[in-house]
Amino acid sequence: MSNNTQTTPIKGTSHIGGLEIAYSIDTATNTITTSLNFDGLNLGNGTMTPEQPTQAIWKNLGLQQLSGELTSDFANSSLEGKFEITEYGKVVYQNRETVVRW
């Protein structure tokens, strides 16, 4: 369970490189919904709960592969992200950071 005191929903947008993460956090139900975009390309939506705390990120663009994961930590009131871009089999971008704390 989240230990936050903020009212719901908590909405915002964060970036990890070119990855845009729009999120909405419902602290009453401990549910996080996300929408992911990379330089205008829709990578999909997801929902995380304490029972399903991760969301995979994956898109094959031919020469480029986008991959990563969002991980929710309801006990610590945080959403963490890792994101990687691979071109021709070599990692050209890699980052891990906190998307949001509430």
Side-chain angles (χ1 to χ4, degrees):
M1 294 298 266
S2 175
N3 60 4
N4 71 76
T5 58
Q6 289 187 306
T7 58
T8 66
I10 301 164
K11 294 183 177 185
T13 303
S14 186
H15 293 84
I16 301 176
L19 177 67
E20 179 181 271
I21 305 158
Y23 57 84
S24 178
I25 303 165
D26 185 332
T27 59
T29 62
N30 280 331
T31 303
I32 300 173
T33 55
T34 61
S35 176
L36 306 174
N37 289 285
F38 178 76
D39 289 342
L41 176 66
N42 183 352
L43 299 180
N45 304 315
T47 301
M48 289 170 277
T49 64
E51 294 78 27
Q52 295 180 328
T54 60
Q55 177 184 347
I57 302 167
W58 171 257
K59 185 73 172 183
N60 187 340
L61 302 174
L63 301 176
Q64 265 189 345
Q65 291 181 349
L66 312 175
S67 62
E69 184 176 75
L70 295 176
T71 304
S72 56
D73 184 340
F74 290 92
N76 292 314
S77 300
S78 69
L79 178 62
E80 306 291 327
K82 62 181 176 180
F83 183 60
E84 181 175 285
I85 301 172
T86 305
E87 292 179 355
Y88 301 104
K90 293 188 177 192
V91 175
V92 296
Y93 177 84
Q94 187 175 47
N95 198 359
R96 175 184 297 238
E97 62 186 73
T98 300
V99 175
V100 63
R101 290 192 182 280
W102 66 92

